[in-house]
Amino acid sequence: MDNAFQIIEQRLFDGIDVAMDIDDDAIMDRIQEEICIYARDHPLDVDERIKLQKELFYSLRKYDVLSELLEDEDITEIMINGFNHIFIEKRGKVIETEWQFSSQEKLDDVIQQIVGANNQVINETTPIVDTRLKDGSRVNIVLPPIAIDGSVMSIRRFSKEPITLAKLIELNSIDESIKTFLGQLIKARYNIFISGGTGSGKTTFLNALTEYVPRDERVITIEDAAELQIIGISNLVRLESRRENIEGDLEVTIRDLVRSSLRMRPDRIIVGECRGAEAIEVLQACNTGHDGSLSTGHANSSVDMISRLETMVLQGMDIPIMAIRKQIASAIDVFIHLGRLPSGERKLLEISEVVGFEGEDIKLSKLYEFDYESKGNDSRWLKRNDLQNTDKLLRIQG
């Protein structure tokens, strides 16, 4: 089969210009013709023909072996470490596949195809790019010589159907009482910050929370690479940052977009992820009448997220640490921390309310906490405390 693929692929490349505006049906017809010619001297059964036809079409018109992996909805992460080492995450487990590109050149062709589709450039001068596929999957690419063993591509995939809080209950990531509580917080316009490690489900959880945003509100989303799947909001503005060009110009940062969004009359601002100095603008937005704002960040716990926010602010502004802490304490109402268990399951681990200061540190009150020891059918989330700041809840309750 490998030999058949190479022979027919070369004949197709010699016989047609795949860069021309030829529709997929015409390409498929040519592939079938060449398979029939090859089969006259090299018999192929039906399954072999179908497999060969698909692989050839992917090679000519799509993302080669990557296309078949993208068709499997159970795969949540694709990790390409050079052309001949492809790993996937499937149902929470990372495994090495037998798939590989025919050559480093073929992988580089696919990379240029993905990057070019979003009007971006990747080369030795700009060897790192964050981009996305048409289906919203997030893509990170690193080229040699930065990537020592060949081009590296990581693809984070998202469900075609936005995951709701009800679906998170089915997945046992939260329980019914937490769903109800979070719905109240969103409707009451609490400012919420979601933290967690890589792959803990922060973006998915943020998407799920937006189902409770009232449909008549104006929502602005700000991201490095657009991946949020907010549905049901007609007055929705989606903004995406832009890296500088080859000349080092025309960069538009998350920080720029947050500042600009404040002039767009938003009811809520959703920043996909805080990574740096844009944390200043996010906190200021929450402190200047834009209640109900949401964002995420990488951290090991809610307490750790506070420390990371302090560091982010200091990246863009040299101000006393206590002034930063006061900004955080007044801007963010609730921290939600997510995690991933050794089994691969993603869980909500903690919901904490910001209740003020204890000495010079921000004081958190745990509202819910995941119970690692519980093995029964009852809820595995322990309710620790009641919400203390109920002013916003009282506003929507009457």
Side-chain angles (χ1 to χ4, degrees):
M1 280 289 288
D2 288 343
N3 190 45
F5 175 86
Q6 292 168 3
I7 292 171
I8 298 172
E9 183 186 45
Q10 189 58 54
R11 287 178 59 86
L12 287 164
F13 275 120
D14 292 342
I16 59 176
D17 182 355
V18 294
M20 291 178 59
D21 188 17
I22 305 174
D23 64 31
D24 289 349
D25 290 337
I27 291 287
M28 188 63 80
D29 288 341
R30 285 301 307 273
I31 290 172
Q32 290 171 343
E33 288 175 17
E34 292 294 343
I35 290 175
C36 288
I37 293 171
Y38 178 85
R40 291 171 188 169
D41 300 317
H42 307 84
L44 298 169
D45 62 34
V46 174
D47 289 339
E48 288 175 329
R49 284 178 179 243
I50 293 173
K51 185 174 186 292
L52 194 54
Q53 180 177 302
K54 181 186 288 188
E55 290 177 355
L56 287 164
F57 181 73
Y58 286 158
S59 177
L60 265 66
R61 266 297 165 91
K62 300 214 173 183
Y63 299 141
D64 202 67
V65 299
L66 187 57
S67 296
E68 194 144 351
L69 296 174
L70 290 170
E71 287 184 353
D72 188 338
E73 295 186 5
D74 290 331
I75 295 175
T76 53
E77 193 102 23
I78 301 171
M79 295 154 276
I80 300 169
N81 306 340
F83 76 94
N84 57 352
H85 288 98
I86 300 178
F87 293 78
I88 61 171
E89 180 189 59
K90 192 168 185 177
R91 300 187 184 96
K93 298 292 184 181
V94 176
I95 56 175
E96 184 173 5
T97 74
E98 296 180 354
W99 294 100
Q100 63 180 48
F101 291 88
S102 57
S103 65
Q104 181 63 47
E105 290 72 23
K106 188 63 182 179
L107 171 56
D108 290 339
D109 286 344
V110 171
I111 287 173
Q112 292 298 336
Q113 187 180 346
I114 291 171
V115 172
N118 291 304
N119 295 317
Q120 293 176 281
V121 174
I122 187 167
N123 50 40
E124 285 191 8
T125 306
T126 310
I128 302 174
V129 163
D130 289 308
T131 186
R132 67 179 185 278
L133 301 179
K134 289 182 180 179
D135 65 2
S137 298
R138 184 171 66 203
V139 183
N140 173 265
I141 302 169
V142 183
L143 294 187
I146 306 301
I148 296 171
D149 298 319
S151 302
V152 175
M153 179 160 53
S154 303
I155 302 175
R156 172 72 56 80
R157 305 191 62 215
F158 301 97
S159 172
K160 292 182 180 179
E161 294 295 325
I163 292 182
T164 63
L165 291 177
K167 179 65 176 178
L168 291 179
I169 292 177
E170 289 180 29
L171 296 171
N172 204 26
S173 295
I174 60 173
D175 68 8
E176 186 65 44
S177 67
I178 291 176
K179 172 180 178 289
T180 301
F181 178 67
L182 293 175
Q184 291 176 324
L185 294 184
I186 296 296
K187 292 175 184 176
R189 303 178 65 83
Y190 282 76
N191 293 321
I192 298 174
F193 203 99
I194 302 167
S195 64
T198 300
S200 58
K202 298 183 295 296
T203 300
T204 298
F205 201 88
L206 179 55
N207 272 324
L209 287 179
T210 60
E211 72 175 282
Y212 283 110
V213 174
R215 298 300 178 245
D216 59 348
E217 291 190 359
R218 178 172 172 81
V219 177
I220 297 178
T221 66
I222 299 168
E223 302 173 80
D224 264 335
E227 58 193 33
L228 291 172
Q229 299 171 294
I230 297 174
I231 57 174
I233 303 290
S234 57
N235 198 350
L236 175 67
V237 177
R238 302 172 71 216
L239 304 177
E240 184 179 54
S241 65
R242 182 176 66 194
R243 295 188 62 165
E244 60 188 23
N245 60 17
I246 297 174
E247 291 78 27
D249 301 322
L250 306 179
E251 181 183 24
V252 180
T253 66
I254 294 286
R255 194 173 181 183
D256 296 329
L257 295 176
V258 174
R259 280 198 295 260
S260 181
S261 71
L262 298 177
R263 305 185 188 100
M264 298 181 183
R265 199 260 176 222
D267 288 309
R268 294 178 197 252
I269 298 172
I270 299 176
V271 179
E273 183 177 343
C274 270
R275 296 179 181 172
E278 68 271 6
I280 301 168
E281 271 70 30
V282 172
L283 294 176
Q284 289 178 347
C286 293
N287 273 323
T288 54
H290 299 93
D291 287 344
S293 295
L294 301 162
S295 189
T296 76
H298 281 82
N300 295 322
S301 66
S302 297
V303 173
D304 184 46
M305 191 68 245
I306 293 174
S307 298
R308 292 216 61 228
L309 281 170
E310 293 170 3
T311 304
M312 291 178 200
V313 172
L314 288 171
Q315 290 177 24
M317 185 180 293
D318 187 13
I319 58 176
I321 194 69
M322 279 306 298
I324 298 174
R325 289 175 183 170
K326 287 179 181 178
Q327 281 274 331
I328 295 172
S330 59
I332 300 173
D333 299 308
V334 172
F335 283 95
I336 297 173
H337 185 68
L338 310 178
R340 192 167 174 178
L341 304 186
S343 63
E345 293 178 286
R346 295 171 174 87
K347 301 284 187 184
L348 183 149
L349 300 183
E350 176 188 323
I351 302 177
S352 295
E353 179 189 11
V354 178
V355 294
F357 282 88
E358 194 168 60
E360 294 187 350
D361 297 322
I362 294 174
K363 183 180 180 181
L364 297 179
S365 173
K366 283 188 182 180
L367 305 176
Y368 288 89
E369 184 176 25
F370 181 71
D371 181 9
Y372 289 91
E373 303 300 324
S374 174
K375 302 295 183 184
N377 295 323
D378 295 329
S379 172
R380 295 187 66 181
W381 285 269
L382 302 175
K383 187 172 183 181
R384 296 296 189 185
N385 289 303
D386 292 321
L387 193 68
Q388 295 185 34
N389 177 16
T390 58
D391 291 348
K392 293 178 180 178
L393 278 182
L394 291 173
R395 189 189 312 160
I396 67 163
Q397 291 173 352

